[in-house]
Each structure stands twice: as structure tokens, then as C-alpha cells.
Amino acid sequence: MRKFILIAAAVLFLPKSVFPQKKPAGTNWAFETYTSVSSCIEQPSLRYDAGTSISAGCLKITAGTGTDKINLNKAGDFSPQDIASFHKVRYGARINKNVNFLPLNIDLLAGTLSFSGTVSRLKNPVPSVPSALCRPITLTPGINPSLPSFTSAQKPFSAAISLAPSDKHSLMPRLQAAYIPDCEFILAADKSFSAGLFPKISLSVTAASLKYGTDASSSWFLSKKAFLKKNYAALGAEANFMAPAFRSSTAFGIYENPFGGVLPWVRTHNFLVLGDFMLGTSYFVSDPQTITSSGTVPSTKESISITPQYTFRLEKSAVAAGLTAHAARKRQSGKSGTEYAFFCTKAALSYKTRGLSSTLSQSTEISLENEEPALKNSVQCSVKKTFGSLYSGTSVSFAKKTSSSKLSASQSLSPKNSVLQRSTADFSITLAEEPEFECGISASFGSKSKNFRWTAKIALDYTVQLE
């Protein structure tokens, strides 16, 4: 893998005479900087993030630093190890270049990278409960490496490469590979094409060798001995079929089980679109003994969802109504083989017209994990309105669980063509055995020109226990 990356880097930096390209007109560079500071007043704490990004031609470099939340009351007791654990470093470089004579687009990345797509589903294959007003989805294939954002979590060094044909009619698939410390490897290939009634079809396969496990001697999730930390193989395959009135996405994965055998999971999403009517369905199932590539047992063994919705078109506006019904078999955490039923319903109504959009949604969850069912009801209302050069967003929500209730509200303002990009104020009141009040304000400032952009954010939080 290292030799492969070195060879790719050598190809990228060969003289331009080898790869003749058109010279871009004018300057082709950009500079971006970001700073964020947040603090809590009641229990003094501090968190900050900062970063810089520079783009020049086919090269982009990003670097940043930050901390986790630091309790300032204990600042005098911090050891060097504590300080090091708070500190986060993010960095990365990306080279994207077209090689005309092949013809290929080469994308080479290195640093504290993030990965999504199939590799994310291998680590957590369970789908979330669909929104009542969801839109048709398409599962993103491959590993999709990306440079770290200015606020991303701390991640280990990794390197990735992507080779994609410049000609979309080429028979060659896109090829991706990634190397992560501890000798972890990920390889992926995907291809999009059209056939028959489907204007677009995409197929992909991803193979990974990832390290996880524990050397502890105590029992683990499945009432079996803990398994050794080493590399385990995983394979994921996906197929997307897209047509004007129908869309289907199916993903399949298998894992090398630490206790022997190969265990699968399957998830599928299907959408039927007939004018203003849409019907969505989803299904997921995994083997009861499955252990994912993150070293965990999925909390959901099987789930099914159905989501009908309809949009009423008016002269200058639209009203959409939707409903989701979801049922699942889940596993109790820490209790081997113990299952329970989970049900969820969601309903939503939205209204959109020029400069105004509003949504009213309701959700009910029933969990049969214990002898008495756990019930959670929530209602949320949001309104977004544009007043000339000012954008305003307001939301209010109320959630009631079996043992607590929570009321939340937020207001945001985003003026256009102003140094102040966004300001937000929010508060919440939680009523439980120990009632709590929490509020916060934040403001984002910034400006951008053709080649320069800067952003600064400051936030203050206040939390107090009510008597």
C-alpha cells in the first residue's frame, strides 16, 4: 500500500510536459481561516477550535487544533497527560489532478481523514427511523475520504487514493483504497451506468481489514469470552436503481466473526413516486451474533418502516403531509440474547411559499424493554422566514418521557451581506427528579471574497439545577 501511494504521488508530480493541461486563467488559489470559542458560565469550562485551509491549483492543505471541553475549576489539578488528552490536532493534504493521456482523475489524500459511504455502514449498518417527510435516498458507495473539518473529532493518520475515469462513458470503475495505522486496509470499486428502464444504476463492492477487539479476560456481549484484538475481514456490496417513478437502494454486508463463521446483514430502501404521492419503505435484518467492524453488536436485530406522503400544490405554495410507521426488534444492552420490541410513529405537516416555510411534526416512541412500557412523545414546530436581507428561524419543541419532560426553544437570525453571519439564542427546561434549566447564545462572524474567507464563532452556555 505504501509503495502504491508513493508511485501515485510520483505520477502526480511529473513535469507538466508529460501531462499537458490548459493553463487556468488568472489566479487559482484560496485561503480560509476559522476560529471558535465556547464557554459555560455556571460551571466554568472552555472549548476552542481553530484552523486554516489553503487551496492552490490541484493542492489543498488544511490544519487545525482544538480542545475537548475543559473544566476550569480543576485547571490547577491538570497533569501533563490530562492536558494532552484535551488537545486535538487535525491536518491533511489533498491533491486532485486530471491525467489526460490515461485519462484519469487522481485524488490523493493524507492526514487525519474522515471516511463515509459503505465503510461507515460496515461499522454501523442499522438505519435510522425515517422522517415523516423524508425524500428518496441513494446509498453513497465506496469509502469517500475527506479532509478533516475545523471542528471534527480527533482521528488517527490515514492515507487514501481514488482513481476515476475522466470519461463518464468509460467501462472502468472508480477505484478507491485507504490505509489506516495498525495495518488496516480498505479497498473499494464502484461503477454507474444506465440500462433499460433505469437511467442510472450504480453497483459497488468494498472490502476491509480492520482491527478491533479486546484482550480483557472478562465475559462480553454474547456471554462468551472476549476476543483478541486483531484484524478481521469485512465485505460490503451495494446496488442503487434510479428511475423517474421508482428508486431502490440495497446494501449487504458480511463480517468475519471472532468466534467463527461469517455473519451477514441486509438493508434496503425503496421509494415509489407517482406525481405528488410518494411511498417509502425500508427493511433491515442482521444475524443475532453479528459483531460489526467497530467491534460492537448492533442494537437493532430487525426493523421495518413505511412512509406514505402527499404534497398538495396550490397557486404559489405547497402543503405536504406525511406519516411514518416503524417497528423493530432490539437487543438489551449488557444482556445476552434478551430482545424487546420497539415501535415508533411520526407525523408531519409542512407549508412552503415564497420566503416562508413552516413544519409541524409529532413523534411517539414505545419501548417494551422493561415490565412497564417506556413512552416518549414529542412535538416540534419550526418557522423559517426571509425578511428582505434577513433570514429568521424559530423552533419550539416539547418532549415527554415516562419520567421526565423537556421544553426547548431557539431563535436564529442570519443577515445577508453582513459581517455577522448568524446569531442564535436557545433555552431548554428539563423537568425530572433534578430539574434543570439551560440556555445559550452564539454568534458567527465572517466575510469572504474571491480568494479569502474567514469565520469566527463565540458561544456562551449557562446551566443551573432548579430547586
Side-chain angles (χ1 to χ4, degrees), residues 45-58:
S45 63
L46 179 68
R47 174 181 174 178
Y48 85 92
D49 291 290
T52 299
S53 176
I54 301 174
S55 300
C58 63

Side-chain angles (χ1 to χ4, degrees), residues 3 37 82 84 102 109 202 224 234 245 411 424 450 464:
K3 292 181 179 179
V37 178
D82 292 331
L102 289 177
L109 302 90
S202 68
K224 297 182 180 180
Q411 172 67 52
T424 304
K450 182 179 179 181
V464 61

Side-chain angles (χ1 to χ4, degrees), residues 133-139 241-249 269-274 277-281 307 309:
L133 293 176
C134 66
R135 304 309 305 160
I137 67 170
T138 301
L139 298 177
F241 296 87
M242 286 155 278
F246 178 73
R247 180 171 296 183
S248 176
S249 296
H269 306 267
N270 301 282
F271 297 89
L272 178 66
V273 182
L274 300 175
F277 173 77
M278 190 199 81
L279 178 66
T281 62
T307 304
Q309 57 181 270

Side-chain angles (χ1 to χ4, degrees), residues 320-344:
L323 176 69
T324 291
H326 176 86
R329 288 191 302 137
K330 293 198 171 188
R331 177 197 302 275
Q332 283 186 311
S333 58
K335 296 183 179 181
S336 172
T338 304
E339 297 180 15
Y340 68 95
F342 174 83
F343 303 96
C344 177

